[in-house]
Amino acid sequence: MTEVSRRTLLAGTAGVTGAMLAGAGTLAGGLVAGSGMAHAQSTAQPPAASPAANAPQAGQVPSAYRYKVGDVAVTAVSDGMRTIPLTDTFVRNQPREAVNAALKTAFLPENEIPISFTVLLLDMGGRRVLVDTGNGGKPGPVGQVRGTLADIGIDPATVDHVVISHFHQDHINGLLTPDGAPAFPKAQVSVPEREWAFWMDEGQMSRAPEGLKNTFQNVRRVFKPFEGKVERYAWDKEVAPGLTAVGTPGHTPGHTSFSLDSGFDTLFIQSDITNLPALFVRNPTWHAVFDMDPVMAQEVRRKTYERLAAERTQVAGYHFPFPGAAHLEKDGEGFRYIPIYWRPVL
């Protein structure tokens, strides 16, 4: 993406209000080996008599996938997935029959919604930046981030910076261990200033419907151990070198996406602009039950996806099928979801 088009993307959306692995091939990726390093290709030939010449490689870790964006090594770390029943209100402005038809078209079971959770670990200039933290709690179908980081050799204490996109529990609860201690003890925690202002406002909490009060209380619980230490960032500013906050409200009042720019490459980290691509990428005017302002969310989604498709920008979605990276192509009134091509090595 050129510098001009980056500015265009940022302006368009805002107006709506582990070590780094060597390797060639921008946007190439690979499953991360159990040692924490992807298997490197070598031009050297092993000795003909070596008994290990034909031995199997070390076991892969299927919940981590690494790819490059310029000089940044991006590791998609799965927090797991869960399946929830399809309710009549999951898509607010469509009948259940239309939703089931879309699921069937995508070869997904009817009457249930699969939801994946994927955080991103960015190795950039010797610093480790984690974008969102997952569900937290004891590992089960979800809550797997810390276990997968251990599997790939990443000590949580070596994470330098945690950047939060918004305050829904599946994005912030992983800030704490099951016993309530900071999960990434040496990391600076950065949050959107507009998200903080909304969820920490006592008046907003008192006026909130009962179903939303738990979220206000959970935000206070999660951030209590970080009292006085949370950095609040503004939209259109760099949160980390090459990582710019992009205002994409609607899902929540301060919902934030990110543009990761390195060299000539860009990855748009869309956070929760939408969840299941088969429903909301294909049908961007559909309103998900999780969007607090569905009309604003729809407007942000359409404008953002129009730009990403026109500029052929790669996009990472927190709830996209693992590893959560794809391109979007304009297709009629909606968009076609094209997953990145899987590569076994970085």
Side-chain angles (χ1 to χ4, degrees):
M1 179 186 289
T2 65
E3 290 298 322
V4 172
S5 62
R6 288 178 195 152
R7 290 195 295 271
T8 300
L9 176 60
L10 296 177
T13 52
V16 180
T17 309
M20 183 181 298
L21 297 178
T26 298
L27 302 183
L31 280 170
V32 181
S35 63
M37 299 289 285
H39 297 302
Q41 290 179 322
S42 174
T43 55
Q45 297 297 317
S50 170
N54 296 315
Q57 294 179 318
Q60 301 281 15
V61 178
S63 292
Y65 183 79
R66 186 166 285 160
Y67 56 98
K68 294 291 291 291
V69 176
D71 293 327
V72 177
V74 179
T75 304
V77 180
S78 174
D79 193 46
M81 70 164 294
R82 61 163 50 103
T83 300
I84 63 174
L86 173 64
T87 63
D88 290 339
T89 58
F90 183 79
V91 180
R92 294 172 174 174
N93 59 343
Q94 293 294 319
R96 185 189 191 97
E97 293 75 18
V99 180
N100 268 327
L103 291 171
K104 185 175 181 179
T105 297
F107 296 91
L108 292 171
E110 298 179 39
N111 297 312
E112 59 184 53
I113 302 293
I115 301 180
S116 297
F117 306 85
T118 303
V119 308
L120 296 181
L121 179 66
L122 313 178
D123 284 314
M124 47 200 323
R127 286 177 58 81
R128 285 178 172 152
V129 179
L130 190 69
V131 182
D132 288 327
T133 64
N135 290 268
K138 295 182 179 179
V142 297
Q144 299 178 14
V145 166
R146 283 172 58 84
T148 300
L149 290 177
D151 288 343
I152 61 176
I154 304 295
D155 183 344
T158 66
V159 173
D160 300 291
H161 195 176
V162 175
V163 178
I164 299 297
S165 65
H166 66 291
F167 287 178
H168 282 165
Q169 66 181 25
D170 54 319
H171 294 256
I172 65 171
N173 281 12
L175 279 167
L176 302 179
T177 63
D179 61 3
F184 306 96
K186 297 182 180 179
Q188 171 65 55
V189 176
S190 298
V191 304
E193 61 181 10
R194 297 196 187 195
E195 192 78 346
W196 182 274
F198 177 82
W199 293 104
M200 289 298 188
D201 186 284
E202 295 297 326
Q204 292 286 0
M205 183 167 69
S206 68
R207 294 187 296 271
E210 284 303 316
L212 205 56
K213 283 187 177 359
N214 285 341
T215 303
F216 281 92
Q217 293 163 358
N218 184 65
V219 168
R220 285 156 175 74
R221 177 190 70 85
V222 169
F223 287 108
K224 186 173 180 55
F226 304 95
E227 195 167 8
K229 301 177 182 179
V230 177
E231 176 187 68
R232 284 163 259 179
Y233 62 81
W235 290 339
D236 303 328
K237 304 293 184 181
E238 278 197 340
V239 187
L243 186 69
T244 302
V246 182
T248 51
H251 183 62
T252 65
H255 180 268
T256 304
S257 301
F258 307 93
S259 181
L260 173 62
D261 299 291
S262 179
F264 293 101
D265 298 327
T266 295
L267 175 69
F268 189 80
I269 303 170
Q270 69 130 47
S271 305
D272 279 13
I273 286 180
T274 192
N275 51 65
L276 185 60
L279 300 183
F280 303 104
V281 171
R282 190 73 191 94
N283 305 283
T285 61
W286 287 13
H287 295 171
V289 67
F290 303 121
D291 293 337
M292 292 177 65
D293 186 334
V295 175
M296 180 179 288
Q298 172 187 321
E299 187 177 356
V300 166
R301 183 161 51 247
R302 177 169 287 285
K303 286 193 174 184
T304 303
Y305 287 178
E306 291 277 1
R307 294 186 182 279
L308 295 176
E311 295 170 354
R312 300 176 65 83
T313 302
Q314 184 168 271
V315 57
Y318 189 78
H319 295 297
F320 289 176
F322 187 78
H327 286 89
L328 306 181
E329 179 184 57
K330 191 74 173 70
D331 186 13
E333 294 300 311
F335 299 87
R336 182 169 168 247
Y337 179 85
I338 306 172
I340 60 169
Y341 195 83
W342 186 89
R343 297 176 185 274
V345 295
L346 190 68

